[in-house]
């Protein structure tokens, strides 16, 4: 198969059906598609739910594989999923993400080159609740250079086999998407126009805990893999903050409150993999 989609799933029974329904509604993809769902350390029926989509995938002409791992851990799931993957293009998809029909095909086409390349679509950040602080925080976060420029890749990122050959097994790190992105120079990262829905963490406590975890994950890469930082986007540090703050002061205050709380010894979680839901 030309394209393999890997989906790690730890106790994702509530989210996985929507993810898989959207994925199976994808437009036709030249060369065919293989989907590998990696249920890992689940105590619910995630694996059973994933297997229930096999006939729908077969009718579409897609190959469908479900791995049920006793051991939890997203990075181990990536490693085991890659062992089962046959595609020349590897798409890494979170189980709570909803892709539009164009995402898989556009990424697959963009990565159909010999040179090492990385790609992602455009994230549509979604909110399910009516938490005012989260809404204001998100509005400001969407104006950050990380979101406006480059190819962030959270929720969905992909690479061709030449790109994946740049490292061995996935290391035991928190920020897998950052690690993957920084293995490619900005000029090697491709953005396709297709969108996907990515759910924002909601509520002050959860925002602080998960954003703190993400900061720790980036610092982990800076310390353990300093050679990758040459691939960081230089404009991430050159856009003046004050211009955005003046334009939307309410959103800036919400954003600043979360960033400040991250640095304070409050709401700390002992869970290295604190989840937003």
């Amino acid at each position: 198969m030309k394209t393999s989609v890997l989906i790690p799933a730890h106790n994702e029974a509530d989210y996985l059906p929507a993810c898989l329904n959207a994925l199976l509604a994808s437009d036709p993809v030249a060369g065919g598609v293989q989907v590998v769902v990696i249920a890992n350390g689940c105590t619910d029926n995630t694996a059973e739910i994933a297997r229930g989509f096999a006939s729908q995938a077969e009718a579409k002409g897609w190959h469908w594989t479900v791995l049920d791992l006793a051991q939890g851990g997203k990075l181990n799931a990536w490693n085991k999923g890659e062992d089962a993957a046959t595609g020349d293009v590897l798409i890494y998809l979170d189980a709570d993400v909803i892709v539009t029909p164009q995402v898989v095909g556009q990424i697959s086409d963009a990565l159909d080159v010999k040179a090492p390349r990385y790609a992602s679509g455009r994230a549509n950040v979604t909110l399910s609740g009516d938490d005012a602080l989260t809404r204001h925080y998100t509005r400001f976060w969407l104006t950050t250079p990380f979101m406006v420029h480059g190819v962030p890749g959270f929720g969905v990122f992909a690479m061709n086999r030449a790109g994946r050959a740049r490292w061995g097994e996935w290391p035991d790190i928190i920020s897998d998407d950052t690690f993957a992105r920084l293995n490619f120079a900005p000029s090697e990262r491709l953005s396709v126009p297709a969108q996907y829905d990515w759910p924002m963490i909601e509520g002050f406590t959860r925002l602080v805990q998960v954003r703190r975890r993400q900061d720790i994950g980036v610092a982990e890469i800076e310390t353990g893999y300093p050679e990758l930082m040459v691939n960081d986007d230089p404009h991430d540090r050159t856009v003046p903050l004050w211009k955005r703050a003046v334009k939307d002061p309410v959103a800036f205050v919400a954003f600043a409150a979360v960033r400040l709380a991250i640095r304070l010894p409050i709401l700390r979680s002992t869970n290295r993999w604190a989840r937003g839901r």
Side-chain angles (χ1 to χ4, degrees):
M1 308 304 288
K2 177 184 174 183
T3 303
S4 292
V5 181
L6 283 67
I7 308 172
H10 172 71
N11 290 342
E12 298 285 5
D14 291 339
Y15 292 87
L16 190 61
C19 172
L20 298 183
N21 276 318
L23 181 62
L24 285 166
S26 295
D27 293 340
V29 179
V33 174
Q34 174 201 31
V35 175
V36 182
V37 180
I38 313 106
N40 60 94
C42 296
T43 57
D44 65 4
N45 62 336
T46 291
E48 181 183 351
I49 289 172
R51 293 188 190 101
F53 284 83
S55 59
Q56 188 177 342
E58 182 180 353
K60 192 177 178 68
W62 286 14
H63 289 206
W64 197 262
T65 301
V66 178
L67 305 180
D68 192 358
L69 309 180
Q71 179 182 346
K74 189 175 184 182
L75 282 305
N76 180 62
W78 284 146
N79 288 324
K80 298 301 184 183
E82 287 176 347
D83 289 343
T86 60
D88 298 317
V89 171
L90 301 173
I91 299 177
Y92 302 79
L93 174 66
D94 283 354
D96 58 355
V97 166
I98 306 298
V99 296
T100 55
Q102 301 79 28
V103 168
V104 175
Q106 287 186 9
I107 288 178
S108 182
D109 289 345
L111 293 177
D112 189 14
V113 294
K114 293 183 179 180
R117 290 293 183 269
Y118 166 102
S120 183
R122 298 180 182 276
N124 174 44
V125 179
T126 62
L127 296 168
S128 61
D130 193 30
D131 183 78
L133 183 137
T134 302
R135 188 171 64 252
H136 296 317
Y137 172 93
T138 302
R139 192 167 68 249
F140 195 83
W141 181 65
L142 290 173
T143 71
T144 59
F146 174 74
M147 290 298 298
V148 175
H149 304 286
V151 191
F154 52 83
V156 181
F157 62 87
M159 63 199 76
N160 55 17
R161 288 285 183 176
R164 181 60 187 86
R166 289 188 165 173
W167 71 93
E169 288 198 339
W170 287 89
D172 182 21
I173 54 175
I174 294 173
S175 190
D176 57 315
D177 53 348
T178 303
F179 178 82
R181 179 171 56 87
L182 293 181
N183 266 280
F184 297 84
S187 61
E188 296 176 316
R189 302 198 289 259
L190 309 174
S191 178
V192 303
Q195 289 191 325
Y196 61 93
D197 289 348
W198 180 85
M200 171 56 82
I201 306 99
E202 299 190 48
F204 180 76
T205 298
R206 288 180 292 178
L207 272 172
V208 171
Q209 290 177 341
V210 173
R211 293 301 174 190
R212 179 182 285 140
R213 184 203 73 193
Q214 291 170 342
D215 284 1
I216 293 171
V218 173
E220 189 177 58
I221 292 171
E222 290 175 344
T223 300
Y225 305 90
E227 69 280 4
L228 296 183
M229 300 314 297
V230 69
N231 289 331
D232 201 7
D233 295 293
H235 49 61
D236 281 357
R237 301 183 179 88
T238 58
V239 177
L241 179 67
W242 67 267
K243 287 187 178 180
R244 290 180 284 121
V246 169
K247 186 175 181 180
D248 194 345
V250 174
F252 171 71
V253 168
F255 183 83
V258 173
R259 296 306 308 173
L260 177 62
I262 288 172
R263 298 177 181 275
L264 298 176
I266 62 172
L267 304 178
R268 291 195 180 277
S269 172
T270 57
N271 181 6
R272 184 170 179 251
W273 290 95
R275 301 178 79 171
R277 49 177 174 77

